[in-house]
Amino acid sequence: MRAISLGLCLAASFGLGACASRAPAPAAEAAQWGGQHFLAWQDSDPEYRFFPGDSVDVTVHSAPELSSTAEIGPDGRINLPMLANVMVANKTDYEIATVIADAYARNVLVSPIVEVRRATLGPQNIIVGGEVNSPGLIALPSPIGALEAVMLAGGFRDTASREVAILRRGAGGGLMLRTVNLRDALRGRDGADALQLRRNDIVFVPRTTVAEINVFIEQYVNSILPLDQAMSYAIANAINNN
């Protein structure tokens, strides 16, 4: 628990999973794919940031009658008792609690104590592009790896490489890249497809040349900051309509 003096704002961690840290991907791997684009890969889980479609439980300990559950709207805002249009998208639970405490302190309460927890999560989508039969936005049915994602996107085209790229936003919004050899995964080799996909990841299946990743980034990904739910739909629509 952490507290801030103005609102004594409490934010409870809701534990989306234990953090596991591994060494960054070798520099040679990123260089092969146009290394100037990418941050070093980090597997540690960042603090979860809430997106439109997620719901939060807001507990106002100093005024329990104001406690409620609210869904984040398409504009990234929530409506709360005696407050309207509070912007919370792309914030952590602690940051949301701070914003709400500040809003109540300005308008309604003296030294509010606010706690925010996850209620439900909205759609957990990834993007699969490149040499698959049905590229676009894919809903995560459960924790999956790159091979399952390709199968959900209709499988490989005949022209597809079996070495695919995983693109993920890192701290500060920069892109990280990791390659996965799905030929090994198809042969059943342990650990070949061990990277679990997260919300808003991009799985890119190139043709036989990995240099194609640079064209994909220029065409669909560059300048998309942050890669959030709305931008995921925009990229998926561009892929489908190209």
Side-chain angles (χ1 to χ4, degrees), residues 26-75:
E29 180 181 82
Q32 181 185 25
W33 292 72
Q36 71 276 8
H37 288 293
F38 307 114
L39 303 176
W41 186 274
Q42 298 289 338
D43 277 335
S44 57
D45 288 332
E47 288 188 272
Y48 183 80
R49 294 184 177 273
F50 288 82
F51 288 93
D54 294 343
S55 294
V56 291
D57 286 329
V58 179
T59 302
V60 184
H61 291 284
S62 50
E65 68 276 9
L66 298 179
S67 298
S68 64
T69 299
E71 181 176 335
I72 303 173
D75 62 351

Side-chain angles (χ1 to χ4, degrees), residues 133-154:
N133 289 308
S134 300
L137 203 66
I138 302 293
L140 287 173
S142 60
I144 64 172
L147 182 59
E148 291 97 331
V150 169
M151 295 303 105
L152 288 171

Side-chain angles (χ1 to χ4, degrees), residues 114-222:
V114 176
E115 182 180 358
V116 169
R117 292 179 180 269
R118 176 189 66 183
T120 60
L121 298 182
Q124 303 290 295
N125 295 317
I126 60 171
I127 298 166
V128 184
E131 297 300 295
V132 292
N133 289 308
S134 300
L137 203 66
I138 302 293
L140 287 173
S142 60
I144 64 172
L147 182 59
E148 291 97 331
V150 169
M151 295 303 105
L152 288 171
F156 294 102
R157 294 178 182 169
D158 293 341
T159 52
S161 169
R162 298 308 189 262
E163 183 178 18
V164 306
I166 311 297
L167 297 167
R168 177 178 294 170
R169 287 296 182 193
L175 275 176
M176 303 185 297
L177 177 142
R178 172 67 65 83
T179 58
V180 178
N181 187 331
L182 294 186
R183 183 174 288 105
D184 288 345
L186 288 165
R187 291 171 178 168
R189 293 182 180 172
D190 290 342
D193 188 19
L195 180 62
Q196 183 176 313
L197 298 177
R198 297 180 189 162
R199 184 185 215 174
N200 293 329
D201 280 356
I202 297 173
V203 179
F204 178 71
V205 182
R207 296 185 180 89
T208 54
T209 171
V210 295
E212 191 182 6
I213 185 66
N214 289 314
V215 176
F216 178 81
I217 288 175
E218 287 296 329
Q219 193 167 7
Y220 298 115
V221 182
N222 265 355

